Structures are given as structure tokens and as C-alpha cells.
Amino acid sequence: MAREKVVLAYSGGLDTSCCVKWLQDELDLDVICMAGDVGQERADLETVKQKALDLGAIKSYVVDMRKEFCEEYLDKCIYANGLYQDQYPLVSALSRPVIVKHLVRIAREHEAKYIAHGCTGKGNDQARFEIGVRALAPDIEILAPVREWELTTRESEMEWAAAHGVPVPVTKASPYSIDDNLWGRAIEAGVLEDPWNEPPEDIYTMTVAPEAAPEVPEYLEIEFYQGLPTQIDGKSGDLQEIIEKMNLIAGRNGYGRIDMVEDRLVGVKSHEIYECPGALAIIRAHQALEELCLERDLLRYKHNLEQNWAQYIYDAKWYAPLKHALDAFMRTPQRFVTGTVRMKFYKGTLTVVGRKSNYSLYDEGLATYGEGDSFERADAAGFIKLSGLPTKVWAQKQVTREHTI
Ligand code: ARG
């Protein structure tokens, strides 16, 4: 009888390389590897592809997901100004769903019974893989070898690897756990585990230190059409090009570093460092345009839902029904989010210094303290009286009570 098949999310690193062998040797499965290109830096993916074959995988795929990642995943994050704990633009949380989609596609093509990932049992990514697979293919079973292993130390893992013919990296492994894509980089572990430690400068690759950034500010104009950026300084590009360009501009000005203590899905607090120059700059510009173009109640309500959206994505629910409904809500008002934002980068800061739109709700006649004032001052007194009435009634009761006690 033919062996059952498993599709493994493969990165080329030590963990997932051990997974290839383990799935073959211990579970007697045919292993199909898939590596996704989501715009990560060390994307020598042809080498990764070959490495999987050398380890005995029966098939090895490298899938370029960049365009799709931008146009079906990151777009939604921009609409929703998605920032987990008001800070983190969900770099890893957004890439897992697109990877899962292709794992499932390949699993179907090969009639695979299993999908496997190399996540540990302590992080969020295991949940994103597994809940994602369950949503798209509830019949496919999930294998998580790394979570099962007793290989708790890096040394014992290397020993196991050497004994089973998995090439062990000769260079000293980075002490950090890094995940990156077009939307930014996540860096954790090593000396960063102590939140009192200032991160060493050499962990950053997308941003220069603010103090090393140019002494003169850099200005740019970013244009949005229906909620998405389409031009920088008059030059059009698709979303991927705009994001890449924004990463460069914001990064060279030292903008986009995040140092936070994050609440993981599994209940642990962890110290996480990110650099997300393009993501943060685009979201900031989008927020600035929404402030100008969206009606007050809608803007307030949306802001509350944005926090729910980010939490939900962080918590691995990309494919859950509530998420689709929230997306629809976020999408609806975007047709008014068309216009231009002028941004000023300077030594690690970003300031919005101009915004304009044909959909602007800003009415100079209503806002001005100068000439041409069209605001009806007489309406203010009655409006304030009624709006303060409940407070007044409450306050009067307090006074009476105090006197009677
Ligand atoms: N804490 C972040 C998140 O959950 C980043 C995870 C990075 N993943 C990794 N394997 N280093 O989204």
C-alpha cells in the first residue's frame, strides 16, 4: 500500500529539516515540502527547495505568495488599521493564513491526509496554522512534531539531526527567533527575554537607529484610492511596490521600531521587538485620511472594532466567520478614503503634516475662528444644557443626600 502523505510548511531551518526526517522515519509518511515567499529577507528559496529534496521529500514547492499576501491580506489590515495592543501590525499573524491556504491547496492536489508545521507549543503560530487548516479543510489531520519532541534544547536537537543525516548549521545559530515578511520583522528570544534589556543595535535590518538617521527631514506625499495607497510622490505602484518603497523610506529615517511586552494567545507575556517601517507609516497615513473623510460616529465605532479585528487576527481567527463580517464593516467606508497625505520623517519620528481629499468633511466655515465663520453659536447653549442634564440631576441628588445624612 502506498504511504500516506503529509504536506509540511518548510522553512529550510533546523527545526523543519528535522521534521522532514522525523515524519519519514517515525511516522512512515511521504513528505511534501512547501516554502512560501512572503517577502522575507533570506529568501534563497531555490536552495531551500533543493534542501527538502536532499532530505528525502518526494516533492518540494516554493510558492511566491507576495502579490496575494499584499492584495488579499495586508489590504484588510490597512482598512482596519490593524494594530494588536495598539502597536503591533500583525506581521506573523497575517502571513500564516496565506501560507495555510497554499498548504491546503497542495494537500488537496496530492490527496494528502496530513498537514504538518514546525511550530513550538508555546507560541501563537501553531494556533494560526491549525485553526486555519481546520477552517479550510476540517478533514485534514494536523501534525506538530516539534511540539511533541522531547528535543527541548538546541544541543540535543543538533545531536538528533546529526544522527539522522540532517545537515547541522556550521555557523553559530542566531540567538534570536526571527520571522519576517513584507510587513516587517519580528525578533524575540536571546537577551531580549529580559524586558529590562535595551535591544542590541545589530538585531535590526530594516531600520537605521534614529540617532544615525539623516539630520534633515524627508517629506513625501502618499496617495490613497478607496482606502489603499496607490502612489508615492506621484509615482504609481501596486500595493507590493508601495509597501517595499515605504519600507525603504521610513527605514532609512529610523522610523518603525517597536519594543513591547505582548500578551500571547497561550497566556504568556513576552518581550517582542519588531521593525515595521512601511506598515506603520502606511497605517498612520491611512488613519490620518480617515480622520478627514469619515463621519464622527462611524470613525469612533470603527476605532473600537479595529481593536477587535486586530485581537481576532492575532488570536488565529483569520478564517472565522466573525472576521469576514468585520472585514465587510471595515471595507464599506473605504470608498471615501481617497486623497493625499503629506508625511514628514525625521530621526525616528513620523508626523502627518498635510492631508486633502475630495471627500473631506472638514468644513473651514464651521471650524474657523476667523472670517467667514458659519457656525451657529446660539445653538451651543441649549445643546450643552441638554447634554449635561443627566450630570446635573445626579449632582443635585449628591448634594441633597450629603445634607440629609
Ligand atoms: N509574537 C508575534 C506574533 O505572534 C511574532 C511571532 C513570530 N514568530 C516566530 N516564529 N518567531 O505574531
Side-chain angles (χ1 to χ4, degrees):
M1 214 183 94
R3 289 160 117 195
E4 293 287 2
K5 297 189 187 91
V6 57
V7 180
L8 169 69
Y10 184 64
S11 73
L14 183 62
D15 280 342
T16 50
S17 294
C18 287
C19 287
V20 179
K21 275 282 168 210
W22 192 82
L23 292 164
Q24 291 171 123
D25 296 357
E26 304 292 324
L27 300 190
D28 196 28
L29 297 171
D30 273 344
V31 181
I32 297 160
C33 288
M34 187 205 79
D37 182 357
V38 282
Q40 61 270 49
E41 280 172 351
R42 43 178 172 81
D44 184 10
L45 292 171
E46 281 311 306
T47 314
V48 171
K49 182 175 177 177
Q50 188 55 44
K51 193 168 173 189
L53 295 171
D54 294 344
L55 286 164
I58 60 159
K59 272 250 169 217
S60 181
Y61 293 94
V62 167
V63 184
D64 184 354
M65 306 173 186
R66 289 174 298 172
K67 192 172 163 59
E68 187 182 358
F69 182 44
C70 292
E71 292 174 7
E72 291 170 41
Y73 297 79
L74 301 184
D75 62 333
K76 296 187 174 63
C77 184
I78 297 171
Y79 296 150
N81 300 314
L83 296 171
Y84 180 65
Q85 291 185 314
D86 295 328
Q87 301 180 72
Y88 163 49
L90 298 159
V91 175
S92 307
L94 289 163
S95 76
R96 298 316 186 251
V98 69
I99 296 170
V100 162
K101 184 179 150 196
H102 288 278
L103 288 170
V104 169
R105 173 179 62 76
I106 291 172
R108 290 298 187 219
E109 277 168 24
H110 291 273
E111 295 178 0
K113 186 172 175 194
Y114 305 99
I115 284 178
H117 63 73
C119 302
T120 68
K122 223 170 160 173
N124 299 314
D125 291 326
Q126 52 176 340
R128 296 170 185 150
F129 276 113
E130 295 179 29
I131 297 176
V133 170
R134 290 204 172 108
L136 298 184
D139 54 304
I140 291 183
E141 292 176 40
I142 292 147
L143 299 171
V146 174
R147 199 169 53 199
E148 276 182 40
W149 290 341
E150 313 260 286
L151 307 173
T152 44
T153 64
R154 192 89 185 156
E155 293 71 45
S156 57
E157 183 178 9
M158 296 223 219
E159 273 169 35
W160 189 93
H164 288 79
V166 179
V168 175
V170 277
T171 50
K172 205 161 164 282
S174 156
Y176 306 110
S177 165
I178 294 168
D179 185 51
D180 70 321
N181 58 55
L182 286 164
W183 210 226
R185 276 176 87 237
I187 310 125
E188 53 191 27
V191 291
L192 305 175
E193 280 178 0
D194 181 349
W196 186 248
N197 284 341
E198 183 176 354
E201 195 47 43
D202 66 1
I203 65 168
Y204 299 105
T205 63
M206 297 176 82
T207 54
V208 302
E211 49 270 48
E215 297 296 329
V216 284
E218 181 167 359
Y219 286 83
L220 67 79
E221 286 183 13
I222 182 167
E223 196 144 328
F224 283 83
Y225 177 72
Q226 301 197 344
L228 292 179
T230 53
Q231 286 187 17
I232 292 177
D233 284 336
K235 283 197 198 67
S236 306
D238 64 16
L239 190 50
Q240 184 184 331
E241 287 161 346
I242 299 273
I243 292 169
E244 284 169 347
K245 195 160 177 182
M246 202 52 125
N247 275 331
L248 286 178
I249 299 172
R252 69 181 174 225
N253 286 288
Y255 176 73
R257 295 183 177 184
I258 304 161
D259 179 329
M260 68 187 282
V261 171
E262 176 177 305
D263 281 304
R264 282 196 192 160
L265 176 56
V266 291
V268 175
K269 281 195 189 290
S270 68
H271 184 213
E272 305 269 339
I273 309 300
Y274 301 102
E275 47 180 352
C276 309
L280 291 185
I282 289 170
I283 289 174
R284 181 66 202 103
H286 182 259
Q287 287 169 332
L289 201 55
E290 286 194 331
E291 283 164 21
L292 188 69
C293 301
L294 299 191
E295 184 272 334
R296 182 186 69 174
D297 290 343
L298 173 58
L299 196 60
R300 285 184 184 168
Y301 203 83
K302 181 169 182 290
H303 186 66
N304 291 335
L305 284 188
E306 284 170 0
Q307 312 216 339
N308 292 324
W309 188 91
Q311 227 166 67
Y312 213 52
I313 301 309
Y314 185 87
D315 289 350
K317 301 294 175 60
W318 180 269
Y319 290 110
L322 173 59
K323 147 71 176 40
H324 294 299
L326 287 175
D327 279 343
F329 177 87
M330 300 298 173
R331 181 76 182 85
T332 306
Q334 295 305 318
R335 65 183 193 275
F336 304 117
V337 188
T338 294
T340 309
V341 177
R342 191 162 65 229
M343 311 167 89
K344 175 184 177 180
F345 292 98
Y346 180 61
K347 285 193 158 305
T349 65
L350 164 56
T351 317
V352 169
V353 290
R355 49 194 120 182
K356 60 179 182 185
S357 165
N358 289 338
Y359 297 93
S360 171
L361 301 178
Y362 185 88
D363 182 328
E364 214 158 333
L366 287 175
T368 186
Y369 285 98
E371 270 181 41
D373 185 350
S374 61
F375 182 79
E376 299 268 2
R377 281 178 170 62
D379 291 348
F383 165 74
I384 295 167
K385 229 181 199 164
L386 290 189
S387 130
L389 190 57
T391 313
K392 182 178 168 191
V393 170
W394 171 82
Q396 283 169 334
K397 278 282 179 210
Q398 303 306 304
V399 173
T400 331
R401 257 189 228 129
E402 256 169 44
H403 284 302
T404 49
I405 287 166

